Amino acid sequence: MAEGFLTCIKFTIFVLMGTEHYIAELLYRYNCVMVPEFGAFLTQVRSAVINESNNTFLPPTKTVSFNEQLTSNDGLLVSYMADVEKMSYEDMQKKIALVSQQWRQRLEAGEKLGFPNLGQLWLNKEGKTQFQPSNEVNYLTSSFGLSSFVASPITREVLKEEILELEEKIPFIITPEARKESGIRPYLKYAAVILLAVATSFTGYRLYNENLNNQQLVRQEAQQQVSKNIQEATFFNTAPLELPVISLNISTPKKRGAHQIIAGAFRIKENAEKKVDQLKEKGYDSSYIGENDYGLHMVAYGCYDDADEALQQLRTIKLSESSEAWMRSVK
């Protein structure tokens, strides 16, 4: 009988020390973990906040609270601990009830119950349960890895002084503050702009005159050289000057017919040229006829002056070659 009592005490101490650990594990996945006959630990999502007093940025988190009125057994904690500890549901329910009873006795005795990673529980003078969360663990899994950080405040006066120093070095960049401090500085800026414009105009006019003078000198030298050549030719050769006959072979572009049977239009000119070669191999008098209004390169099976002949060829091509062929008439 004594051995059974010691075993019961040891197991009770084990459950007492490990129950809050299982509660903390469940709070990562659930917003409410109820301890039968004791109360419920609740979590509520809190948005990211900025503490202006110490310039601290806090990430989104779950805040833990306690409600002593939720004492019924929803089976979550009992099932989870029974599965982990390899015990039956009924035995674990009895052990948790014993733990809840011991927790209440300690609170009534005036003790503070400390739950690691959860907070502290105690009774006030009116006998009501008080809870202070520890806020050491963030149970919001979506904020995993995020921690609070402190940002140093911006020293705006220092930046203003730096800007004023830059304005002294670059007088054309002037802020409204500096403009108020000095009423002469804007007029100096406008005067500098006007002087720059006048100097640019004089420079352009001078370059234009130099260009005209250079062109005139070149023309004079060319005329002198031509006159010298004519004089030399007249002095050394008094016979009638026979000019050589020059034959010029001027190839006039072949005029296309006004009625063109279109084989296709291509985005890339090289593809259009390949199409022309393919049609010529088949015996067509194919040609590249340029770009249309949409920037596509057009290829024709042939070009005809007679509209009836073009229509006849179009019918033949539609039956034998491509039904997508069509006729284009140009003026």
Side-chain angles (χ1 to χ4, degrees), residues 47-59:
S47 302
V49 295
I50 301 176
N51 191 340
E52 296 182 357
S53 62
N54 54 9
N55 301 312
T56 303
F57 293 80
L58 301 175

Side-chain angles (χ1 to χ4, degrees), residues 9 13 18 30 36-37 62 67 81-82 90 108 113 119 132 139 141 170 188 213 216 237 252:
I9 293 298
I13 294 174
Y30 302 95
E37 302 179 13
K62 274 185 177 182
N67 191 333
M81 293 182 64
E90 291 77 11
E108 293 173 357
L113 295 181
Q132 177 63 41
Y139 293 99
T141 56
I170 309 175
L188 295 177
N213 294 332
Q216 187 174 1
N237 189 7
T252 59

Side-chain angles (χ1 to χ4, degrees), residues 237-257:
N237 189 7
T238 58
L241 181 63
E242 296 182 0
L243 299 178
V245 179
I246 301 176
S247 300
L248 299 177
N249 295 325
I250 301 175
S251 59
T252 59
K254 181 180 180 181
K255 183 180 180 181
R256 298 192 183 95

